[in-house]
Amino acid sequence: MLIGSGTVLTNEQVTASIEVGADFIVSPGFNPRTVQYCLDKGVPIIPSVNNPSLVEPEFNCEVRHSPISSSQCHFFKDNRWLLEA
């Protein structure tokens, strides 16, 4: 079973979520600091966007992207249903 934490807005909420066992984070928007913090902690994050105009800033932000690890890759493959809703 996987446990996710949703509506995560701050680094403190990420830390609290990890401490209680969250396997992944979902945020209602794209906050580069929160995304980078999750990447640094090794926890998958699914930031939300609600229109195509908001996708571009994700690609142009200054977040240092790290390669997806094998376990993160399996997480998304095994849990495609998260994206199909």
Side-chain angles (χ1 to χ4, degrees):
M1 176 186 322
L2 290 172
I3 308 276
S5 183
T7 317
V8 175
L9 302 171
T10 66
N11 293 350
E12 292 78 17
Q13 291 173 331
V14 171
T15 299
S17 298
I18 293 169
E19 287 175 355
V20 296
D23 297 303
F24 64 95
I25 303 295
V26 178
S27 65
F30 181 77
N31 179 327
R33 288 177 296 184
T34 304
V35 171
Q36 187 62 57
Y37 189 75
C38 288
L39 292 174
D40 292 342
K41 294 289 185 183
V43 63
I45 181 168
I46 305 168
S48 178
V49 295
N50 62 4
N51 67 64
S53 301
L54 295 176
V55 173
E56 186 177 2
E58 290 190 34
F59 293 112
N60 294 324
C61 72
E62 295 181 12
V63 171
R64 178 179 37 86
H65 294 280
S66 60
I68 293 178
S69 70
S70 167
S71 62
Q72 288 172 319
C73 201
H74 288 296
F75 170 85
F76 288 110
K77 283 183 182 176
D78 295 342
N79 296 286
R80 283 189 289 276
W81 60 272
L82 290 170
L83 304 174
E84 295 171 356

